[in-house]
Amino acid sequence: RSNRVSEGIRQIARLLVWAGGSATVFGFVYGSVFGFRNLLPYQGYEPMQNIGAFLTIALFFGVAMMSLGMAFNIVAAIWRKDWATGLLDWSGLMGLAFYWLAVFTAIQLFAGKRVSPTVGVTLIALPVAATAIRLAVEKRARARAQQTSHTGEGFVGETLESWLAFLTNTLSHLRLAAFALAHAALFEAVFSIAGMLRGVVGLPVVIHVLGNALMIGLEGLVVCVQTLRLHSYEFFARFFRVGGTEFKPVRLPGSAP
């Protein structure tokens, strides 16, 4: 039991080291040391003054994560010789092509540029044709196995669901920018409270220490939960399949196996 507890502590310690390293790196990026912006010889990248840039970065990070998940799915499907999934699935090559074309179209529209009608036709025709072919292949395979098929219902529902999923999953990454903005806003609140109590000896220091401790604990919990959600729904769901090597999660010391 003691060995199991020690291993759990080591795993959590490694996680905290990585989290601390990431916080340090982004502290230098923002030019902030525990909220103080005058301790470094440069200004840094202030979230509250660059809201549009943070939102854009979060969206492009989401595009990169979802594209990587689909790339993993393509490789895994080809490795399994599941050509229909790898080439024609919404998380396969067809889905990746559709997604990048949709992203390109959105960028063009937001930039005020005209989008070719060919692009719009392709955005509709590509997934419709690929999905129809894949479902026909799957229907034939189920027929050989003497299983019931509902190709028509699956075609309409899957198409609408996939279009909506691409949009919502991409926009879901905006929460990354929201965390940075909330972090900056909380620090402004802490500094405001400490400034109002400047006349009381030692109290501003206590406010700064307690404020930082509260933000580390609160933001650590919130970011951990939301990061797990993003990885689960927007990333792993694109390529994860049950089977293979057993997943062994990090466990808290003393927790039940």
Side-chain angles (χ1 to χ4, degrees):
R1 179 180 177 82
S2 60
N3 291 335
R4 187 167 63 248
V5 172
S6 299
E7 180 60 27
I9 293 176
R10 281 195 294 269
Q11 290 178 345
I12 294 174
R14 295 191 196 103
L15 181 63
L16 292 177
V17 168
W18 280 102
S22 176
T24 302
V25 170
F26 280 96
F28 282 111
V29 172
Y30 298 151
S32 171
V33 179
F34 292 103
F36 293 94
R37 305 190 59 82
N38 56 352
L39 300 181
L40 297 176
Y42 57 92
Q43 184 64 27
Y45 206 66
E46 172 59 43
M48 299 301 290
Q49 298 176 2
N50 300 277
I51 296 178
F54 269 81
L55 294 175
T56 303
I57 292 171
L59 284 177
F60 277 100
F61 183 81
V63 171
M65 287 292 291
M66 291 180 61
S67 299
L68 182 62
M70 285 186 278
F72 284 165
N73 184 63
I74 294 170
V75 173
I78 293 176
W79 184 269
R80 299 191 307 267
K81 296 183 179 181
D82 185 359
W83 305 107
T85 298
L87 300 178
L88 303 174
D89 190 72
W90 282 98
S91 292
L93 184 61
M94 181 278 293
L96 184 61
F98 170 83
Y99 185 56
W100 273 97
L101 188 59
V103 170
F104 171 77
T105 302
I107 293 174
Q108 293 291 97
L109 291 175
F110 276 104
K113 298 180 179 179
R114 181 177 178 274
V115 178
S116 171
T118 305
V119 175
V121 173
T122 304
L123 280 173
I124 298 175
L126 174 65
V128 168
T131 304
I133 295 172
R134 179 175 58 81
L135 291 177
V137 172
E138 293 177 352
K139 179 180 179 181
R140 184 175 180 181
R142 282 192 294 266
R144 290 179 178 178
Q146 296 182 351
Q147 296 178 354
T148 305
S149 174
H150 302 282
T151 303
E153 298 175 6
F155 175 79
V156 176
E158 182 179 338
T159 301
L160 295 176
E161 180 184 2
S162 299
W163 282 347
L164 184 61
F166 276 129
L167 175 62
T168 56
N169 291 349
T170 303
L171 295 179
S172 183
H173 286 82
L174 287 174
R175 71 189 67 211
L176 298 175
F179 294 149
L181 298 175
H183 179 77
L186 285 173
F187 262 127
E188 288 186 2
V190 170
F191 274 80
S192 297
I193 296 173
M196 290 187 293
L197 301 174
R198 190 176 302 170
V200 182
V201 178
L203 195 53
V205 176
V206 175
I207 295 298
H208 282 295
V209 172
L210 292 178
N212 273 278
L214 176 64
M215 281 187 285
I216 290 174
L218 180 62
E219 293 182 0
L221 175 62
V222 173
V223 170
C224 179
V225 171
Q226 296 300 330
T227 300
L228 289 174
R229 184 205 174 279
L230 286 175
H231 279 80
S232 176
Y233 287 99
E234 278 72 41
F235 184 59
F236 286 119
R238 296 284 168 188
F239 63 90
F240 179 76
R241 297 290 184 275
V242 177
T245 305
E246 179 185 359
F247 174 68
K248 296 180 179 180
V250 175
R251 299 188 184 279
L252 294 174
S255 61

Coordinates of all heavy atoms in Angstrom, one line a residue, residues 54-89:
F54 N -6.5 37.6 -28.3 CA -6.6 36.4 -27.5 C -7.7 35.5 -28.0 O -7.6 34.2 -28.0 CB -6.9 36.7 -26.0 CG -5.6 36.9 -25.2 CD1 -4.9 38.0 -25.3 CD2 -5.1 35.9 -24.4 CE1 -3.7 38.2 -24.5 CE2 -4.0 36.0 -23.7 CZ -3.2 37.1 -23.7
L55 N -8.8 36.1 -28.4 CA -9.9 35.3 -28.9 C -9.5 34.6 -30.2 O -9.8 33.4 -30.5 CB -11.2 36.1 -29.2 CG -11.8 36.7 -27.9 CD1 -12.9 37.7 -28.4 CD2 -12.4 35.6 -27.0
T56 N -8.8 35.3 -31.1 CA -8.3 34.7 -32.3 C -7.3 33.6 -32.1 O -7.4 32.5 -32.7 CB -7.6 35.8 -33.2 OG1 -8.5 36.9 -33.4 CG2 -7.2 35.2 -34.5
I57 N -6.4 33.8 -31.2 CA -5.4 32.7 -30.8 C -6.1 31.5 -30.3 O -5.8 30.4 -30.7 CB -4.4 33.2 -29.8 CG1 -3.5 34.3 -30.5 CG2 -3.5 32.1 -29.3 CD1 -2.6 35.0 -29.5
A58 N -7.1 31.7 -29.5 CA -7.9 30.5 -28.9 C -8.6 29.8 -30.0 O -8.6 28.5 -30.0 CB -8.9 31.0 -27.9
L59 N -9.2 30.5 -31.0 CA -9.9 29.8 -32.1 C -8.9 29.0 -32.9 O -9.2 27.9 -33.3 CB -10.6 30.8 -32.9 CG -11.9 31.4 -32.4 CD1 -12.5 32.5 -33.3 CD2 -12.9 30.3 -32.2
F60 N -7.8 29.6 -33.3 CA -6.8 28.9 -34.1 C -6.2 27.7 -33.3 O -5.8 26.7 -34.0 CB -5.7 29.8 -34.6 CG -6.1 30.6 -35.8 CD1 -6.5 31.9 -35.7 CD2 -6.1 30.0 -37.1 CE1 -6.9 32.6 -36.8 CE2 -6.4 30.7 -38.2 CZ -6.9 32.0 -38.1
F61 N -6.0 27.8 -32.0 CA -5.6 26.7 -31.2 C -6.6 25.6 -31.3 O -6.3 24.4 -31.4 CB -5.4 27.1 -29.8 CG -4.8 26.0 -28.9 CD1 -3.5 25.7 -28.9 CD2 -5.7 25.3 -28.1 CE1 -3.0 24.7 -28.1 CE2 -5.2 24.3 -27.3 CZ -3.9 24.0 -27.3
G62 N -7.9 25.9 -31.3 CA -9.0 24.9 -31.4 C -8.9 24.2 -32.7 O -9.1 23.0 -32.8
V63 N -8.7 25.0 -33.8 CA -8.6 24.4 -35.1 C -7.5 23.5 -35.2 O -7.6 22.4 -35.8 CB -8.5 25.6 -36.2 CG1 -8.1 25.0 -37.6 CG2 -9.7 26.4 -36.3
A64 N -6.3 23.8 -34.6 CA -5.1 23.0 -34.6 C -5.4 21.7 -33.9 O -5.0 20.6 -34.3 CB -3.9 23.7 -34.1
M65 N -6.0 21.8 -32.7 CA -6.3 20.6 -31.9 C -7.3 19.6 -32.6 O -7.1 18.4 -32.6 CB -6.9 21.0 -30.5 CG -5.9 21.6 -29.6 SD -4.6 20.4 -29.0 CE -5.6 19.4 -28.0
M66 N -8.3 20.2 -33.2 CA -9.3 19.3 -33.9 C -8.7 18.7 -35.1 O -9.0 17.5 -35.4 CB -10.6 20.1 -34.2 CG -11.4 20.5 -33.0 SD -12.8 21.5 -33.4 CE -13.7 20.3 -34.4
S67 N -7.9 19.5 -35.8 CA -7.2 18.9 -37.0 C -6.3 17.8 -36.6 O -6.2 16.8 -37.3 CB -6.5 20.0 -37.7 OG -7.3 21.1 -38.2
L68 N -5.5 18.0 -35.5 CA -4.6 16.9 -35.1 C -5.4 15.7 -34.7 O -5.0 14.5 -35.0 CB -3.8 17.4 -33.9 CG -2.8 16.5 -33.3 CD1 -1.7 16.2 -34.4 CD2 -2.1 17.1 -32.1
G69 N -6.5 15.8 -34.0 CA -7.4 14.7 -33.7 C -7.8 13.9 -34.9 O -7.8 12.7 -34.9
M70 N -8.3 14.6 -35.9 CA -8.7 14.0 -37.2 C -7.5 13.3 -37.9 O -7.7 12.2 -38.5 CB -9.4 15.0 -38.1 CG -10.8 15.3 -37.6 SD -11.7 16.4 -38.7 CE -11.1 18.0 -38.3
A71 N -6.4 13.9 -37.8 CA -5.2 13.3 -38.4 C -4.8 12.0 -37.7 O -4.5 11.0 -38.4 CB -4.0 14.3 -38.4
F72 N -4.9 12.0 -36.4 CA -4.7 10.7 -35.7 C -5.7 9.7 -36.1 O -5.4 8.5 -36.2 CB -4.8 11.0 -34.2 CG -3.6 11.7 -33.6 CD1 -3.7 12.2 -32.3 CD2 -2.4 11.7 -34.3 CE1 -2.6 12.8 -31.8 CE2 -1.3 12.3 -33.7 CZ -1.4 12.9 -32.5
N73 N -7.0 10.1 -36.3 CA -8.0 9.1 -36.6 C -7.7 8.6 -38.0 O -8.0 7.4 -38.3 CB -9.4 9.8 -36.6 CG -10.5 8.8 -36.9 OD1 -10.7 7.9 -36.2 ND2 -11.2 9.1 -38.0
I74 N -7.3 9.4 -39.0 CA -7.0 8.9 -40.3 C -5.9 7.9 -40.3 O -6.0 6.8 -40.9 CB -6.6 10.1 -41.2 CG1 -7.7 11.0 -41.4 CG2 -6.0 9.6 -42.5 CD1 -7.4 12.3 -42.1
V75 N -4.8 8.2 -39.5 CA -3.7 7.2 -39.4 C -4.1 5.9 -38.7 O -3.8 4.8 -39.2 CB -2.5 7.9 -38.6 CG1 -1.4 6.9 -38.3 CG2 -2.0 9.1 -39.4
A76 N -4.9 6.0 -37.7 CA -5.4 4.8 -37.0 C -6.3 4.0 -37.8 O -6.2 2.7 -37.8 CB -6.1 5.2 -35.7
A77 N -7.2 4.6 -38.6 CA -8.1 3.9 -39.5 C -7.4 3.2 -40.6 O -7.7 2.0 -40.9 CB -9.2 4.9 -40.0
I78 N -6.4 3.9 -41.2 CA -5.6 3.2 -42.2 C -4.8 2.1 -41.7 O -4.6 1.0 -42.3 CB -4.7 4.3 -42.9 CG1 -5.6 5.3 -43.7 CG2 -3.7 3.6 -43.8 CD1 -4.8 6.4 -44.3
W79 N -4.3 2.3 -40.4 CA -3.5 1.2 -39.8 C -4.4 0.0 -39.6 O -4.0 -1.2 -39.7 CB -3.0 1.7 -38.4 CG -2.1 0.7 -37.7 CD1 -2.5 -0.2 -36.8 CD2 -0.7 0.6 -37.9 NE1 -1.5 -0.9 -36.3 CE2 -0.3 -0.5 -37.0 CE3 0.2 1.2 -38.6 CZ2 1.0 -0.9 -36.9 CZ3 1.6 0.8 -38.5 CH2 1.9 -0.2 -37.6
R80 N -5.7 0.2 -39.3 CA -6.7 -0.9 -39.1 C -7.2 -1.4 -40.4 O -8.0 -2.3 -40.5 CB -7.9 -0.5 -38.2 CG -7.5 0.0 -36.8 CD -8.8 0.1 -36.0 NE -9.8 1.0 -36.6 CZ -9.9 2.3 -36.4 NH1 -9.1 2.9 -35.6 NH2 -10.8 3.0 -37.0
K81 N -6.8 -0.7 -41.5 CA -7.3 -1.0 -42.9 C -8.9 -0.8 -42.9 O -9.6 -1.4 -43.7 CB -7.0 -2.4 -43.3 CG -5.5 -2.7 -43.4 CD -5.2 -4.1 -43.9 CE -3.7 -4.3 -44.1 NZ -3.4 -5.6 -44.6
D82 N -9.3 0.2 -42.2 CA -10.7 0.6 -42.2 C -10.8 1.8 -43.1 O -10.8 3.0 -42.7 CB -11.2 1.0 -40.8 CG -12.7 1.3 -40.8 OD1 -13.3 1.3 -41.8 OD2 -13.2 1.6 -39.6
W83 N -10.8 1.6 -44.4 CA -10.7 2.6 -45.4 C -11.9 3.6 -45.4 O -11.7 4.8 -45.7 CB -10.5 2.0 -46.8 CG -9.3 1.1 -46.9 CD1 -9.3 -0.3 -46.9 CD2 -7.9 1.4 -46.8 NE1 -8.1 -0.8 -47.0 CE2 -7.2 0.2 -46.9 CE3 -7.2 2.7 -46.7 CZ2 -5.8 0.2 -46.9 CZ3 -5.8 2.6 -46.7 CH2 -5.1 1.4 -46.8
A84 N -13.1 3.0 -45.2 CA -14.3 3.9 -45.2 C -14.2 4.9 -44.1 O -14.5 6.1 -44.3 CB -15.5 3.0 -45.0
T85 N -13.8 4.6 -42.9 CA -13.6 5.5 -41.8 C -12.5 6.5 -42.1 O -12.6 7.7 -41.9 CB -13.4 4.8 -40.5 OG1 -14.5 4.0 -40.2 CG2 -13.2 5.8 -39.3
G86 N -11.4 6.0 -42.5 CA -10.2 6.8 -42.7 C -10.4 7.9 -43.8 O -9.8 9.0 -43.7
L87 N -11.1 7.5 -44.8 CA -11.2 8.4 -46.0 C -12.5 9.2 -46.1 O -12.5 10.3 -46.5 CB -11.0 7.6 -47.3 CG -9.7 6.9 -47.5 CD1 -9.6 6.1 -48.8 CD2 -8.5 7.9 -47.4
L88 N -13.6 8.5 -45.6 CA -15.0 9.1 -45.9 C -15.7 9.5 -44.6 O -16.8 10.1 -44.7 CB -15.8 8.1 -46.7 CG -15.2 7.6 -48.0 CD1 -16.1 6.5 -48.6 CD2 -15.1 8.8 -49.0
D89 N -15.1 9.3 -43.4 CA -15.8 9.6 -42.2 C -15.7 11.1 -41.9 O -14.8 11.8 -42.4 CB -15.3 8.8 -41.0 CG -16.1 8.9 -39.8 OD1 -17.2 8.3 -39.8 OD2 -15.6 9.6 -38.8

